[in-house]
Amino acid sequence: MTAGAPPVTRARPLTALGFNTRVSWTDDAGPAAGLADGIALYEAAEELGYRSGWAYQRHFDHYLSSPLPFFAAVGRHTSRIRLGSAVLPMRYQDPVLLAEAAGTTDLLVGGRLELALATGSTASWDAVFGAVDTDPRTEANRRLDRFLAAVSGAPLHVVDGPGQGAPVGTEIRVTPHSPGLRGRLRIGAASVDSAVRAARRGLGLITGTVLHGIAEGETFPQYQARLIAAYRDTWRAEQGTEPPPVAAAASILPGTSAELRARYAAYDEERRTQGMATSRPQGALEPVITAALPAGQRISPVHHGTPDEVVAALLADPGIGAADEIVLFLPPAFGPAQNRRLITDLASTVAPALGWAPA
């Protein structure tokens, strides 16, 4: 902040800092280099005091498609930072196999796994994974409930006849079981309804950079704040305790030089005109979406400018102000050097002014 300026505070203390990476790669460098760069980013963030690093799952493109083995590898190179998926769409997950892989990974990384799951309505890859008789959201919720039972260690089946791999009467549970994992599961909520369902299930919450259900005349930050408030109110009513910390993904680009400020302003303009299709690594698939979003759906604002300007914008953002943890969204095409610069600049020039201290 500017020398001599009065200290700034948030209504809610910023307790933790995270980042969200696509773990992307270019045709020129290849996927092995992209995965190695992803691991190095987690190492750098841990050194800076970040609490968490989140990786997005995206199939059949130049992005990470299988986060759990990646997290197991990251765990060999780090010791404190939490490893989160943001998000795993449940529509295409086998819930029992996912519970087995999640339990194994969590034990390998010393109980640092935090899975964010989604039940959004999508059927993009039915031609590959197979169609189902129900609608995508119903199927995703069915698989989520099955996964929650499996990862909690509940019996999934009682052997009731010969030829089932165990004596009759045996209760079949997922192994290996990681006892604390159930308490580190979240929903990646894009709507108030999804946030309310998360609270009723006793799941944590992370909000993303795309939200839907926004009322006419309501801004993205206002709706995000309303979503978080609905989650907390429902949790208190349904669970009878105080809700766990809420994380919010955000596009925050503090420009510590004129060159960086110009680059970040250009990214903001590109995102405004191209929407979610912006910032693709070289060789990635051509987008099939445009900036023209359905009614009630919007992408988050990009907070950019000087560090002081970014701090002021964040303090005025009710959605970011309602969260306990800020998760920095890293544009996929920025590359490893720029990603390292971004997490460093956020930790050194912006986050301390919001009350954050390194872990």
Side-chain angles (χ1 to χ4, degrees):
M1 296 296 293
T2 303
V8 293
T9 59
R10 284 170 26 116
R12 191 175 190 92
L14 178 63
T15 59
L17 201 60
F19 69 89
N20 186 336
T21 175
R22 293 304 192 249
V23 190
S24 58
W25 59 84
T26 64
D27 277 347
D28 290 342
L35 294 169
D37 289 338
I39 293 173
L41 183 65
Y42 276 79
E43 292 181 285
E46 181 171 271
E47 292 175 2
L48 291 167
Y50 277 67
R51 177 189 177 276
S52 62
W54 302 80
Y56 180 82
Q57 181 186 51
R58 183 164 178 169
H59 296 291
F60 314 122
D61 206 348
H62 285 42
Y63 307 91
L64 185 67
S65 60
S66 190
L68 292 177
F70 173 76
F71 291 146
V74 173
R76 301 293 295 174
H77 295 266
T78 58
S79 59
R80 299 183 308 279
I81 192 168
R82 298 199 173 207
L83 315 173
S85 69
V87 293
L88 290 178
M90 288 305 299
R91 165 64 185 87
Y92 294 129
Q93 307 294 334
D94 181 291
V96 177
L97 293 179
L98 179 62
E100 291 178 335
T104 301
T105 303
D106 193 45
L107 292 169
L108 287 171
V109 301
R112 290 185 283 140
L113 190 63
E114 293 196 12
L115 296 182
L117 312 160
T119 58
S121 178
T122 177
S124 304
W125 297 115
D126 277 11
V128 179
F129 290 103
V132 292
D133 295 334
T134 58
D135 65 276
R137 185 179 294 278
T138 298
E139 179 63 18
N141 275 286
R142 184 192 71 79
R143 296 187 185 206
L144 174 60
D145 288 336
R146 180 71 164 167
F147 170 74
L148 294 178
V151 83
S152 299
L156 301 179
H157 174 65
V158 178
V159 176
D160 54 7
Q164 298 183 29
V168 173
T170 302
E171 293 184 335
I172 303 302
R173 293 177 169 84
V174 160
T175 60
H177 174 61
S178 186
L181 180 57
R182 175 60 176 82
R184 283 179 269 115
L185 302 179
R186 305 190 189 212
I187 287 292
S191 69
V192 168
D193 287 346
S194 182
V196 167
R197 286 193 297 269
R200 288 173 176 163
R201 283 181 164 123
L203 295 169
L205 181 72
I206 180 171
T207 70
T209 55
V210 180
L211 299 179
H212 61 83
I214 300 176
E216 185 176 355
E218 189 175 30
T219 67
F220 184 103
Q222 288 169 344
Y223 182 71
Q224 189 174 48
R226 180 159 68 90
L227 184 159
I228 294 172
Y231 170 79
R232 290 185 174 130
D233 289 345
T234 304
W235 183 286
R236 294 183 182 105
E238 298 283 338
Q239 307 298 334
T241 61
E242 281 301 297
V246 172
S251 293
I252 304 171
L253 308 177
T256 54
S257 69
E259 179 183 1
L260 283 174
R261 289 192 289 275
R263 181 173 186 182
Y264 296 158
Y267 168 74
D268 183 24
E269 177 63 23
E270 183 182 4
R271 196 161 180 262
R272 290 174 186 270
T273 56
Q274 298 185 27
M276 292 178 285
T278 193
S279 187
R280 293 175 293 114
Q282 176 244 348
L285 294 177
E286 288 296 320
V288 295
I289 57 175
T290 69
L293 298 174
Q297 182 172 314
R298 295 195 186 97
I299 59 174
S300 64
V302 178
H303 296 297
H304 65 92
T306 67
D308 281 0
E309 290 170 339
V310 170
V311 169
L314 293 175
L315 289 172
D317 186 314
I320 298 301
D324 303 286
E325 178 176 4
I326 291 176
V327 176
L328 170 64
F329 173 77
L330 297 171
F334 270 21
Q338 187 61 51
N339 285 338
R340 173 68 180 266
R341 178 67 180 266
L342 261 178
I343 65 171
T344 301
D345 287 347
L346 180 67
S348 62
T349 69
V350 171
L354 303 177
W356 171 79

